[in-house]
Amino acid sequence: MALATLLTTPWTASPETALWPRIDRRVRSRPPQRKIEFWEVERDGNRSRVYQFTKRLLDIAGACAGVLLLSPIMLVTFLVLLVATRGKPLFFQTRIGECGRKFTLFKFRTMVVHAERVQKQVVNEQDGPVFKNRRDPRITRIGAILRKFSIDEMPQLFNVLIGDMSLVGPRPPVEPEARQYENWQLRRLAVKPGLTCLWQVSGRCEIGFTQWVRMDLWYIDRQSLLLDLVLLAKTPASVLSGRGAY
């Protein structure tokens, strides 16, 4: 299958294509008007045992290789932030993972320490339940560089090793955002979240939230080892370009 076919733009489909029954098989008999909670979502995507086993092996091998290759960058970043943040170089945040399961996501700190307390003072430039601002005043000068080249995300390789995340999958939201999802959008939580995804290699923050979700649903419907490898292969160029990273 040609790579162009694999990455055919999926976001042209309407929300209705994300069929209601696929959100949660336990509530198929209930009317669509009922608001589904994020913890009610059941697993979806490619549930083949062969695929799941191979994907996990790829995650472990890829994360180990990533930690080894990127350890000099991570060490330097840690030491610089250790001084710049006065001893708080890492940022730990609760995210929503597969089927609504909460886990702790690891990142290098890119904002001021009290960033979450003053978020309401910053204008959200994105549509939908996701917060993004190109000139967010809470981001430090060092943090802006780390974000541009996704260095702040490198500690998530340990999330992959733990098993909370995969190398490829939808990006994990925070709980307040997940609570605002429409029923059809919840399906993006039906697979394990990842470090990279179609959104990540297609412009990131340049893409609106609805379009972003449709990309994730497209991935879920076509999940395969080949598609994972294609997205992984496209990630380095996307990261180095810095496109849509803020």
Side-chain angles (χ1 to χ4, degrees), residues 74 90 106-108 151-159:
M74 288 194 282
L90 297 175
F106 311 139
K107 293 185 69 173
F108 282 125
I151 297 173
D152 61 316
E153 310 285 356
M154 289 181 182
Q156 288 163 44
L157 288 167
F158 294 101
N159 283 118

Side-chain angles (χ1 to χ4, degrees), residues 169-228:
R171 293 296 296 163
V174 294
E175 183 174 341
E177 294 174 357
R179 287 184 177 277
Q180 297 178 57
Y181 282 4
E182 296 177 17
N183 286 342
W184 73 274
Q185 296 169 339
L186 283 168
R187 191 168 160 243
R188 70 185 300 269
L189 304 177
V191 297
K192 189 176 290 187
L195 273 175
T196 190
C197 56
L198 185 57
W199 169 82
Q200 186 88 5
V201 302
S202 302
R204 289 183 274 189
C205 296
E206 295 178 358
I207 299 168
F209 181 71
T210 299
Q211 195 173 356
W212 176 0
V213 174
R214 289 173 179 166
M215 288 180 171
D216 288 337
L217 300 190
W218 183 89
Y219 167 76
I220 291 173
D221 286 334
R222 296 162 177 80
Q223 205 175 33
S224 68
L225 186 61
L226 177 58
L227 180 54
D228 288 343

Side-chain angles (χ1 to χ4, degrees), residues 144-152 154 204 239-242 245:
I145 297 173
L146 298 182
R147 285 182 170 228
K148 183 174 178 63
F149 299 106
S150 297
I151 297 173
D152 61 316
M154 289 181 182
R204 289 183 274 189
V239 169
L240 291 175
S241 73

Side-chain angles (χ1 to χ4, degrees), residues 109-129:
R109 190 177 295 277
T110 59
M111 291 186 173
V112 294
V113 176
H114 60 286
E116 292 181 300
R117 295 201 302 269
V118 298
Q119 179 172 311
K120 293 182 178 180
Q121 301 175 21
V122 182
V123 177
N124 184 12
E125 296 179 346
Q126 270 281 10
D127 64 308

Side-chain angles (χ1 to χ4, degrees), residues 33-45:
Q33 290 75 17
R34 175 184 178 270
K35 175 69 172 70
I36 304 300
E37 301 297 341
F38 66 81
W39 59 81
E40 295 182 281
V41 178
E42 287 192 347
R43 290 181 177 86
D44 203 344

